[in-house]
Amino acid sequence: GENVEQHPSTLSVQEGDSAVIKCTYSDSASNYFPWYKQELGKGPQLIIDIRSNVGEKKDQRIAVTLNKTAKHFSLHITETQPEDSAVYFCAASLYNTDKLIFGTGTRLQVFP
Amino acid sequence: NAGVTQTPKFQVLKTGQSMTLQCAQDMNHEYMSWYRQDPGMGLRLIHYSVGAGITDQGEVPNGYNVSRSTTEDFPLRLLSAAPSQTSVYFCASSSDRALNYGYTFGSGTRLTVV
């Protein structure tokens, strides 16, 4: 089955700097890769996703890149703000299957 | 529009007790699932359902039962609670079986088994 590894487990950045979180997946057939943000005491919330037919996707300060050959994908947050502080999860699934497998999470802290 | 509603928010059980975690969604989503979240282990899939009357096991199904009698509800049952089931439980739903549009998560149930 699919296995997703996520690094780093914690990340501290200064406000305004960029943050990068990386994930690798094991199943080369996986083709849907979402990212979720979890704030304290809340459930995870989808922030961006990418499919295997796309190499990069951007949404304002957030971008995701996918390298299918290397089986890894990354979340990039530019111009970080204190409200970006949260736990971020990557995930992977095979299109038209019913399982979404998550990474272990990255706690991002943005210091003013 | 309430989204995904989980009850209770907090629960303390004694070892061996049984209980049901409730999950309801009002978005007419076909796909629902249960995850548990433990420190350092991320979110692990327990059980999922692709529609009323259909359920299947995820990564960590042992000790949990589910049923899906309606589209709206997907309860998770612990038949005999164990300390290893201490965790935060999240229910999620999606409009698309292929998960094309991502999950909507509930706010979680924090369960402690003593």
Side-chain angles (χ1 to χ4, degrees):
Chain A
E2 177 63 278
N3 182 53
V4 179
E5 294 187 359
Q6 183 172 348
H7 299 282
S9 57
T10 61
L11 180 60
S12 296
V13 300
Q14 205 74 30
E15 182 177 1
D17 289 348
S18 295
V20 180
I21 303 170
K22 299 181 179 180
C23 290
T24 60
Y25 59 99
S26 60
D27 190 340
S28 58
S30 290
N31 51 15
Y32 175 63
F33 308 95
W35 286 88
Y36 286 81
K37 175 183 181 182
Q38 185 180 28
E39 298 176 335
L40 193 62
K42 297 183 178 180
Q45 184 174 16
L46 179 70
I47 55 172
I48 194 169
D49 57 14
I50 192 168
R51 292 171 177 79
S52 59
N53 58 345
V54 176
E56 182 176 6
K57 183 177 179 180
K58 291 183 179 180
D59 183 3
Q60 300 182 347
R61 297 185 297 109
I62 294 174
V64 57
T65 58
L66 172 65
N67 183 326
K68 288 186 62 180
T69 303
K71 291 191 289 186
H72 67 70
F73 56 112
S74 300
L75 177 71
H76 305 255
I77 305 174
T78 59
E79 301 173 20
T80 54
Q81 301 168 2
E83 51 264 39
D84 293 330
S85 296
V87 178
Y88 292 81
F89 290 98
C90 63
S93 78
L94 177 61
Y95 186 79
N96 275 337
T97 64
D98 305 312
K99 297 181 180 180
L100 189 60
I101 304 301
F102 283 83
T104 51
T106 297
R107 181 173 299 279
L108 173 64
Q109 291 182 301
V110 181
F111 293 98
Chain B
N1 203 348
V4 178
T5 303
Q6 290 185 239
T7 56
K9 293 189 182 300
F10 302 95
Q11 182 71 47
V12 179
L13 286 179
K14 293 182 178 180
T15 298
Q17 286 185 319
S18 63
M19 80 159 295
T20 300
L21 280 64
Q22 302 291 344
C23 176
Q25 51 89 10
D26 60 358
M27 299 172 284
N28 201 32
H29 284 175
E30 289 294 322
Y31 189 94
M32 298 185 74
S33 61
W34 277 101
Y35 284 86
R36 60 178 288 173
Q37 184 176 21
D38 302 293
M41 304 190 76
L43 293 153
R44 291 182 292 169
L45 181 64
I46 304 171
H47 285 285
Y48 64 96
S49 169
V50 300
I54 306 170
T55 64
D56 206 346
Q57 296 181 349
E59 302 169 272
V60 288
N62 292 340
Y64 307 95
N65 282 349
V66 293
S67 60
R68 184 96 179 269
S69 56
T70 67
T71 299
E72 295 78 20
D73 300 299
F74 190 43
L76 179 71
R77 298 183 184 85
L78 283 71
L79 298 180
S80 179
S84 60
Q85 294 178 305
T86 293
S87 188
V88 181
Y89 292 84
F90 287 99
C91 179
S93 72
S94 175
S95 61
D96 188 336
R97 178 173 180 170
L99 305 175
N100 281 340
Y101 301 102
Y103 279 133
T104 298
F105 278 87
S107 57
T109 294
R110 184 175 293 274
L111 176 68
T112 301
V113 182
V114 298

